Amino acid sequence: LAIQSGKHLVTKVSLLFALMIFAGHPIAALYGTIIIIIFSAFQCFKNKKSLLKIGSAIILGLLISSIQLIPFYTLKTQSVRDEITYGDFASGGITKNTAISVINPFHSNFQYNVDLYFHFGTIALLLLIISPFFYKKFSPTNQKLYKIGAALILTGFIFSLGNRFPQFYKILYEIPPFNLARIPARYLAITHFGIVFA
């Protein structure tokens, strides 16, 4: 909403971004950042000035919340839980069986390293399946939101595939903010947001 309004863009986005980091959960902040970047890219694609403002706001938000980042990084370097190998990092990606577990609300138990709290709402999923037939009837604003949702769905699935893209995941493994997720299937949270948008 802050991005769409356009008024006081840098101030609003930087403060909201800083608050997201101050909330204390780095993985949630990472998911939020990916969603914000994709939303901004689609929303302000033709407006380079707005994209520059959003980028500046994210950097400013990081500076404002740096007091939270320093102790977090210190704890991360001393945590046994975060000392994972590449094999551990890439494992737990989504598979065909995993996808069925997440989509099917009547599945008795979740398997294949997908966390229990992942499930796409049945109504939202059914609406997503039939939505392409109504796309042309959407208003231009809703068509844009639909495209943002599709991009989020695709991003979440790609990020959650894990060792299916070894070269890609080796790069992510070297970037601390990304390897925080530990289980690649957790990136389905981004897909979940995409389903809501679409």
Side-chain angles (χ1 to χ4, degrees):
L1 289 172
I3 292 167
Q4 281 184 307
S5 69
K7 295 179 181 179
H8 310 293
L9 186 64
V10 175
T11 305
K12 287 179 181 176
V13 175
S14 61
L15 288 174
L16 290 168
F17 191 79
L19 286 171
M20 185 170 65
I21 294 172
F22 274 126
H25 198 291
I27 301 172
L30 175 62
Y31 297 155
T33 304
I34 293 170
I35 292 165
I36 289 166
I37 289 170
I38 291 173
F39 182 87
S40 304
F42 276 83
Q43 194 71 18
C44 310
F45 181 72
K46 294 180 181 178
N47 191 340
K48 301 292 189 289
K49 190 176 179 181
S50 292
L51 282 175
L52 187 62
K53 284 183 178 180
I54 293 164
S56 302
I58 289 173
I59 292 168
L60 183 59
L62 280 170
L63 290 172
I64 292 169
S65 59
S66 60
I67 194 169
Q68 174 76 6
L69 295 174
I70 294 167
F72 162 72
Y73 181 77
T74 304
L75 287 171
K76 176 177 168 50
T77 55
Q78 296 175 3
S79 172
V80 175
R81 188 167 179 251
D82 284 323
E83 291 178 358
I84 58 170
T85 64
Y86 170 73
D88 292 332
F89 172 64
S91 67
I94 192 170
T95 64
K96 181 181 177 181
N97 291 325
T98 305
I100 292 170
S101 297
V102 174
I103 291 168
N104 182 4
F106 305 108
H107 198 275
S108 58
N109 59 347
F110 289 80
Q111 298 173 352
Y112 308 102
N113 294 327
V114 174
D115 292 327
L116 292 172
Y117 49 81
F118 276 122
H119 169 62
F120 302 146
T122 309
I123 294 173
L125 196 63
L126 288 172
L127 288 173
L128 182 68
I129 292 167
I130 64 171
S131 60
F133 300 105
F134 299 94
Y135 177 77
K136 290 183 179 178
K137 295 182 179 181
F138 294 163
S139 67
T141 302
N142 286 338
Q143 284 183 353
K144 190 180 283 187
L145 287 173
Y146 188 85
K147 288 176 183 175
I148 292 168
L152 288 168
I153 290 168
L154 187 62
T155 303
F157 265 114
I158 289 172
F159 272 66
S160 64
L161 288 173
N163 54 17
R164 302 241 176 153
F165 296 106
Q167 297 303 322
F168 174 61
Y169 254 75
K170 281 176 183 174
I171 294 170
L172 292 186
Y173 178 65
E174 299 299 328
I175 305 173
F178 286 96
N179 66 37
L180 281 171
R182 286 182 294 275
I183 299 172
R186 288 181 178 178
Y187 284 106
L188 285 172
I190 297 169
T191 299
H192 199 151
F193 271 89
I195 289 173
V196 173
F197 269 97

